[in-house]
């Protein structure tokens, strides 16, 4: 079994849910207290709202031998194993690469692990991140485990596009929904990472209110990268830079964040057009000059690419970006609808 197929590592030792996840945490805490936790959970909601943090916090408290106030203690043997990335009853499965499908062999390996006795004498936990990326064979292989759950085993599916999961899988999981959280809760959480209120507001706007994306912007080099992309996009739309040259450079960036960024540009262009305001960002200002019907077409194109990527279909990034930019240039340069 390769590490890429089933990962027993805990990505980071997170012991607490996020501030805006109180209702979901209270619900599972009550189920744990009453011994009513189901054998399978589906954490459903858009990418970037913190579902994986919640999953890790829940897993940690379930494996902890001395939980304190509904949280893992961080000191018992189980917690120490988690912190060392060596807990034998923790299995985290995800696509091997962004845009790749979860394959049947990965699920079979996971199911085999879940049928074995827990090595630490407690629960066995299996997590499937981006669960909608399971191909049909993988999803069918998981169904038997859902239909005939193993004692002391808990399966947690994390669905960024839960509607793409097989109905037979959704119906066998108890669903917890995670919407985009309230803005004030995110602002308080992000405040330590922001150099200023203006920077925080910009990060939230760029991330469309999704806190995990906003934090990445504040703590990394996301702002500089986005300015660079925006300048190049404006140059492409003005035909000062070739589409092929831009695509060659854009392909080097992370695919999913790039698609979300492009989607936000088109969305902002539609808003500017509807309000009659001139966008301050050159790329958005240029896009806002295109007929609305063309902008909606671009938006549909990007949403389709995002859905295909999250579902593990792995579209050809070269052709996808070329197609989008050609359509964008054509829309901007149209004189009439």
């Amino acid at each position: 079994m390769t590490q890429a197929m089933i990962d027993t590592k805990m990505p980071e030792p997170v012991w607490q849910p996020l501030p805006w996840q109180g209702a979901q945490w209270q619900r599972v805490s009550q189920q744990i207290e009453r011994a009513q936790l189901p054998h399978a959970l589906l954490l459903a909601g858009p990418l970037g709202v913190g579902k994986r943090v919640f999953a890790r916090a829940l897993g940690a408290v379930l494996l902890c031998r001395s939980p304190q106030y509904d949280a893992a203690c961080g000191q018992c043997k189980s917690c120490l194993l988690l912190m060392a990335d060596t807990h034998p009853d923790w299995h985290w499965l995800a696509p091997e690469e962004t845009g790749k499908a979860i394959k049947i062999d990965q699920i079979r390996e996971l199911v085999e692990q879940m049928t074995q006795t827990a090595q630490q004498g407690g629960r066995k936990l299996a997590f499937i991140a981006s669960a909608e990326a399971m191909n049909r064979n993988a999803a069918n292989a998981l169904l038997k485990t859902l239909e005939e759950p193993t004692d002391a085993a808990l399966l947690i599916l994390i669905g960024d596009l839960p509607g793409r999961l097989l109905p037979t899988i959704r119906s066998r999981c108890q669903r917890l929904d995670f919407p985009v959280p309230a803005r004030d809760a995110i602002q308080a959480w992000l405040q330590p990472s922001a150099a200023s209120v203006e920077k925080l507001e910009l990060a939230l706007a760029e991330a469309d209110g999704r806190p995990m994306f906003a934090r990445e912007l504040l703590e990394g080099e996301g702002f500089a990268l986005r300015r660079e992309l925006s300048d190049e996009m404006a140059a492409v739309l003005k035909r000062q830079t070739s589409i092929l040259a831009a695509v060659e450079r854009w392909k080097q960036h992370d695919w999913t964040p790039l698609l979300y960024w492009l989607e936000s540009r088109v969305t902002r262009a539609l808003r500017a057009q509807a309000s009659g305001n001139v966008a301050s960002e050159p790329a958005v200002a240029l896009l806002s000059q295109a007929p609305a019907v063309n902008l909606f077409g671009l938006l549909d194109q990007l949403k389709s690419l995002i859905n295909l990527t999250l579902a593990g279909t792995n579209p050809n990034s070269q052709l996808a970006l070329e197609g989008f930019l050609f359509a964008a240039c054509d829309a901007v340069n149209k004189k009439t609808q």
Side-chain angles (χ1 to χ4, degrees), residues 206-287:
E206 283 289 325
D208 290 327
R210 302 184 189 198
M212 311 314 287
F213 291 165
R215 185 177 68 171
E216 289 177 7
L217 283 171
L218 290 169
E219 295 181 350
E221 299 179 354
F223 283 121
L225 172 61
R226 286 171 185 246
R227 281 194 298 270
E228 176 186 319
L229 287 171
S230 184
D231 289 345
E232 186 155 39
M233 186 175 186
V236 168
L237 294 175
K238 290 187 288 187
R239 302 187 184 275
Q240 295 173 347
T241 297
S242 77
I243 289 175
L244 296 181
V247 167
E248 282 302 313
R249 287 187 287 272
W250 287 16
K251 281 177 14 184
Q252 310 306 314
H253 300 301
D254 290 341
W255 177 240
T256 305
L258 176 60
L259 290 178
Y260 277 115
W261 180 82
L262 289 171
E263 181 189 37
S264 72
R265 266 51 248 159
V266 179
T267 300
R268 288 185 178 198
L270 281 164
R271 290 173 182 165
Q273 192 176 84
S275 66
N277 296 325
V278 178
S280 58
E281 183 181 341
V284 175
L286 287 165
L287 282 171

Side-chain angles (χ1 to χ4, degrees), residues 183-199:
R183 193 176 185 87
D184 56 350
I186 306 173
Q187 287 174 324
W189 181 70
L190 288 174
Q191 192 64 54
S193 301
S196 65
V197 174
E198 291 75 15
K199 199 113 179 181

Side-chain angles (χ1 to χ4, degrees), residues 3-115:
Q3 183 71 11
M5 295 182 72
I6 296 181
D7 190 358
T8 58
K9 285 188 176 182
M10 187 176 183
E12 56 179 288
V14 177
W15 310 115
Q16 297 282 351
L18 294 163
W20 51 85
Q21 297 172 339
Q24 296 92 336
W25 191 255
Q26 182 179 21
R27 177 176 168 182
V28 295
S29 295
Q30 290 174 347
Q31 290 177 318
I32 294 170
E33 184 179 350
R34 298 168 184 169
Q36 295 177 344
L37 199 66
H39 67 277
L41 285 170
L42 170 59
L43 311 185
L47 190 65
V49 298
K51 300 187 301 298
R52 287 154 182 79
V53 174
F54 185 94
R56 295 194 290 268
L58 176 59
V61 76
L62 287 172
L63 292 178
C64 179
R65 296 183 179 183
S66 302
Q68 305 292 320
Y69 305 105
D70 298 328
C73 70
Q75 299 176 352
C76 68
K77 181 180 179 181
S78 178
C79 287
L80 294 176
L81 286 170
L82 284 177
M83 293 174 72
D85 297 333
T86 56
H87 202 297
D89 299 320
W90 174 288
H91 305 284
W92 188 281
L93 187 155
E96 295 174 352
E97 297 177 27
T98 300
K100 296 284 188 180
I102 295 175
K103 302 172 185 176
I104 187 171
D105 288 342
Q106 291 177 273
I107 295 297
R108 284 174 174 167
E109 292 275 7
L110 184 67
V111 169
E112 181 182 348
Q113 289 291 326
M114 296 304 288
T115 59

